[in-house]
Amino acid sequence: MSSIGAGAGGAVVGAAVAAVAVGGGAPPHVLAVDDSSVDRAVIAGILRSSRFRVTAVDSGKRALELLGSEPNVSMIITDYWMPEMTGYELLKKVKESSKLKKIPVVIMSSENVPTRISRCLEEGAEDFLVKPVRPSDVSRLFSRFLEVNLKAVTMEFLT
């Protein structure tokens, strides 16, 4: 597993994370939610290789508990199909919360179902990734995320 995220995309994202940290912030904190221990380990490995702080939990319920006590989550990446609470239900709860709604949520699934993807995006998901998630998926996603954060840090610095 040590080769996960070792490509050029991981290096680019890692440099961008370092640039945000130099701007005064800590590395972005990502909450990874998946009931599969293998998938949790893969996504956490990809994110950590790009210098993100990662907390991994096994259910939507645990994610909500963590979000209630951890104010500094920068993004949520969640599986779609999980017992007790689906990733879609987690997305809806996050977007309905005045405290959490600004946190970007990315849904992952091993099934490429266009109606499901559309429904998640319409509900406010930042993106929908089809598993297996690759380092290039994370690079693309976080390049956009970090670009927005770099602009915010720059604007804060200039004012």
Side-chain angles (χ1 to χ4, degrees), residues 39 42 46 108-110 129-135 137:
D39 288 344
V42 169
I46 291 170
M108 305 177 292
S109 179
S110 58
L129 303 177
V130 178
K131 294 179 184 180
V133 175
R134 298 174 305 274
D137 294 325

Side-chain angles (χ1 to χ4, degrees), residues 6 11-12 20 22 24 54 58 62 83 102 116 118 120 126-127 143 156 159:
V12 170
V20 170
V22 168
V54 180
D58 63 358
R62 290 200 182 177
K102 292 190 179 196
R116 180 181 303 156
S118 296
C120 290
E126 181 75 19
D127 205 344
S143 291
E156 186 177 308
T159 57

Side-chain angles (χ1 to χ4, degrees), residues 10-30 47-53 138 142-143 145-147 150:
V12 170
V13 175
V17 171
V20 170
V22 168
H29 182 192
V30 180
L47 292 166
R48 287 184 179 122
S49 73
S50 296
R51 299 188 183 140
F52 291 96
R53 180 175 158 224
V138 174
F142 283 104
S143 291
F145 170 73
L146 292 171
E147 182 179 315
L150 270 169

Side-chain angles (χ1 to χ4, degrees), residues 33 59-61 78-93 107 119-120:
V33 188
S59 71
K61 182 179 176 184
T78 181
D79 185 32
Y80 184 87
W81 280 118
M82 295 182 290
E84 295 182 14
M85 177 186 296
T86 66
Y88 178 74
E89 292 166 335
L90 175 60
L91 167 68
K92 287 179 68 169
K93 289 190 179 291
I107 307 287
R119 187 171 75 157
C120 290

Side-chain angles (χ1 to χ4, degrees), residues 23-25 148-159:
V148 169
N149 281 330
L150 270 169
K151 286 180 183 176
V153 167
T154 302
M155 291 305 292
E156 186 177 308
F157 179 75
L158 294 175
T159 57

